[in-house]
Amino acid sequence: MGDVDLEFPAQGARCECDEAVGHGYIVDKDRYLARLKRIEGQARGIYRMVDEEKYCIDILTQVSALTSALRSVALGLLDDHLRHCVADAARAGGAEADQKFQEATDAIARLMRA
Amino acid sequence: MGDVDLEFPAQGARCECDEAVGHGYIVDKDRYLARLKRIEGQARGIYRMVDEEKYCIDILTQVSALTSALRSVALGLLDDHLRHCVADAARAGGAEADQKFQEATDAIARLMRA
Amino acid sequence: MGDVDLEFPAQGARCECDEAVGHGYIVDKDRYLARLKRIEGQARGIYRMVDEEKYCIDILTQVSALTSALRSVALGLLDDHLRHCVADAARAGGAEADQKFQEATDAIARLMRA
Amino acid sequence: MGDVDLEFPAQGARCECDEAVGHGYIVDKDRYLARLKRIEGQARGIYRMVDEEKYCIDILTQVSALTSALRSVALGLLDDHLRHCVADAARAGGAEADQKFQEATDAIARLMRA
């Protein structure tokens, strides 16, 4: 908020599912934020390692650790999304359910390839 | 420097190869730093998306993009490492060369699994 | 059937979901079988390349192609599973739904790490 | 040989490195062939599971196991390739060395994305 991050794409979309109770992940929001704060620190640490010309292999080890931390966050978000948004859509059925499944599969495909 | 990041492991190791000319990636150091600065911005953007309770799928898309950017940096560093540190070790031969190859393979294994 | 493949773990489990209409992927069963037959051919081709001592990089290219084909099959099966077994469980709710979501997330985690 | 596998791209390339002593992986050739024979059996097992309409999650587990086995073979071949072909090229230097490094990095990139 407030500060503008020009490098980051604006995200206009708002989650339309679970409107009454909020997003699935909201129950764990503080834990997600803590993990993402840590991930930001890991990214800053890698920047510093390159700046200080540390040994390449050690930098690569930290890149692997950061990638692994990101995957873990992604899996958590995906699990929450399936259990809430997708489950709701499955119960409602119809075209919206179809769209939610397609969206989830596309997201999983991107994560497996990323 | 200055600010201490307790969450990030201290990296005491210094690259012992290419001592005369510096690390392989030094020629591109500014480009690496620019990319890592951007990566840090992406991590901060994901934090903000969770904080603002954006739609899960949109967050996952940004996690995939960040993972992809990290992999690209890792591949660049690995390529530089092979062309400089590992090539030097290969020319020198002996136990040190063996160790460099083992180290590189282990790093690649971690990256493929991360 | 008939022929015993000792190297392959016996799979006693039968899908308990979608009993009336069969498994989700059944509609595409022939297409899956055709793709898996092709995958088996790719595996045999890689065996032959090593046997004939082809160039390592060319072998690695074929390993990447095979891995990519496997991922594509996995994504298809996962999508079908979510749309049928998991959707059914979501509609039924309760402990079984919980278990189906956990199972799906665990499978996605294994695929992302494999 | 003998049997023609039309689905598999012909590989005309022969390894031009290590001509005197054969390919790097030749010392382990029998072990690679045994692993690839097992991989072929795993692929056949997955075909059979789909044919017998086993539970999707169990099939996905086997796809993960096969992908993991393939990655392990790829890492072995890559390690051998770096220690032999690439090391030789590094010692020789020049344009050929450049090409070998580029080739190796491209193969690693494909494996990380596959």
Side-chain angles (χ1 to χ4, degrees):
Chain A
M1 288 166 275
D3 63 320
V4 178
D5 184 352
L6 290 173
E7 298 185 57
F8 202 73
Q11 295 294 327
R14 283 221 146 243
C15 185
E16 60 268 51
C17 69
D18 256 348
E19 296 236 333
V21 295
H23 289 276
Y25 61 77
I26 202 75
V27 287
D28 281 330
K29 186 173 164 179
D30 285 347
R31 248 189 64 213
Y32 277 117
L33 290 178
R35 291 164 80 183
L36 287 165
K37 188 55 79 183
R38 194 170 189 286
I39 279 169
E40 200 188 316
Q42 286 178 283
R44 199 161 37 241
I46 293 168
Y47 178 95
R48 205 156 46 221
M49 287 178 86
V50 170
D51 194 31
E52 297 174 3
E53 295 174 31
K54 297 297 190 196
Y55 186 44
C56 315
I57 293 290
D58 293 332
I59 301 174
L60 290 176
T61 300
Q62 296 307 320
V63 172
S64 293
L66 175 44
T67 302
S68 190
L70 278 169
R71 188 185 52 210
S72 174
V73 164
L75 273 169
L77 290 171
L78 185 64
D79 183 71
D80 290 340
H81 181 68
L82 291 175
R83 284 173 196 270
H84 296 88
C85 299
V86 176
D88 283 356
R91 279 185 284 269
E96 208 203 322
D98 257 5
Q99 191 220 315
K100 286 288 177 213
F101 282 117
Q102 194 56 54
E103 228 179 42
T105 295
D106 291 347
I108 295 166
R110 279 192 299 270
L111 289 169
M112 284 179 69
R113 215 157 296 164
Chain B
M1 287 170 278
D3 65 318
V4 179
D5 183 353
L6 289 173
E7 298 185 57
F8 203 74
Q11 295 295 329
R14 283 219 146 247
C15 186
E16 59 268 53
C17 69
D18 257 347
E19 296 237 335
V21 294
H23 289 276
Y25 61 77
I26 204 74
V27 286
D28 281 330
K29 186 174 166 180
D30 285 346
R31 246 188 65 211
Y32 278 117
L33 290 178
R35 291 164 79 182
L36 287 165
K37 188 55 81 185
R38 195 171 189 286
I39 280 169
E40 200 189 317
Q42 285 177 283
R44 200 162 37 243
I46 293 169
Y47 177 95
R48 205 157 44 222
M49 287 177 88
V50 170
D51 195 30
E52 296 174 2
E53 296 174 31
K54 297 297 190 196
Y55 186 44
C56 314
I57 294 290
D58 292 334
I59 303 175
L60 290 175
T61 300
Q62 295 307 320
V63 172
S64 293
L66 175 43
T67 303
S68 189
L70 278 168
R71 188 185 53 210
S72 175
V73 164
L75 273 169
L77 289 172
L78 185 65
D79 183 70
D80 289 340
H81 181 67
L82 291 175
R83 285 173 195 270
H84 296 88
C85 298
V86 175
D88 283 355
R91 279 185 284 270
E96 208 204 323
D98 258 5
Q99 191 220 315
K100 287 288 178 214
F101 282 117
Q102 193 57 54
E103 227 179 42
T105 295
D106 291 347
I108 295 165
R110 279 192 300 271
L111 290 168
M112 283 179 70
R113 213 157 297 162
Chain C
M1 287 168 274
D3 64 319
V4 179
D5 183 352
L6 290 173
E7 297 185 60
F8 202 73
Q11 294 295 327
R14 283 220 146 247
C15 186
E16 60 267 53
C17 70
D18 255 350
E19 296 236 334
V21 295
H23 289 277
Y25 60 78
I26 203 75
V27 287
D28 281 330
K29 186 173 163 179
D30 285 346
R31 247 189 64 213
Y32 277 118
L33 289 179
R35 291 164 79 183
L36 287 165
K37 187 57 78 182
R38 195 172 188 286
I39 279 169
E40 199 189 315
Q42 285 178 282
R44 200 161 37 242
I46 293 169
Y47 178 96
R48 206 157 44 221
M49 288 177 87
V50 170
D51 194 32
E52 296 175 2
E53 295 174 32
K54 297 295 189 198
Y55 186 45
C56 312
I57 294 289
D58 292 333
I59 301 175
L60 290 175
T61 301
Q62 295 308 319
V63 172
S64 293
L66 175 44
T67 303
S68 190
L70 277 169
R71 189 186 52 210
S72 174
V73 164
L75 274 169
L77 289 171
L78 186 65
D79 183 70
D80 290 341
H81 181 68
L82 291 175
R83 285 174 195 268
H84 296 89
C85 299
V86 175
D88 283 355
R91 279 185 284 269
E96 208 204 323
D98 258 6
Q99 191 219 315
K100 287 287 177 215
F101 282 117
Q102 195 55 55
E103 228 179 42
T105 295
D106 291 347
I108 295 166
R110 279 192 298 272
L111 289 169
M112 284 179 70
R113 213 156 297 164
Chain D
M1 289 168 276
D3 65 318
V4 179
D5 183 352
L6 289 173
E7 297 186 57
F8 202 74
Q11 294 295 329
R14 285 219 144 247
C15 186
E16 59 267 51
C17 70
D18 255 349
E19 295 237 334
V21 294
H23 289 276
Y25 61 76
I26 203 75
V27 287
D28 281 329
K29 187 174 164 180
D30 285 346
R31 246 189 66 212
Y32 277 117
L33 290 178
R35 291 164 80 182
L36 287 165
K37 187 55 81 181
R38 194 170 188 287
I39 279 169
E40 200 189 316
Q42 286 177 283
R44 200 159 38 240
I46 293 168
Y47 177 95
R48 205 156 46 221
M49 288 177 88
V50 170
D51 195 31
E52 297 175 1
E53 293 173 33
K54 297 296 191 196
Y55 186 43
C56 314
I57 294 291
D58 292 333
I59 301 175
L60 290 175
T61 300
Q62 295 307 319
V63 172
S64 294
L66 175 44
T67 304
S68 190
L70 277 169
R71 188 186 52 210
S72 174
V73 163
L75 274 168
L77 290 172
L78 186 64
D79 183 71
D80 290 341
H81 181 67
L82 291 174
R83 285 175 195 269
H84 296 89
C85 299
V86 175
D88 284 354
R91 279 186 284 270
E96 208 204 324
D98 258 4
Q99 191 220 316
K100 288 287 178 213
F101 282 117
Q102 194 55 55
E103 226 179 43
T105 295
D106 291 347
I108 295 165
R110 279 192 299 272
L111 290 169
M112 284 179 70
R113 212 157 299 164

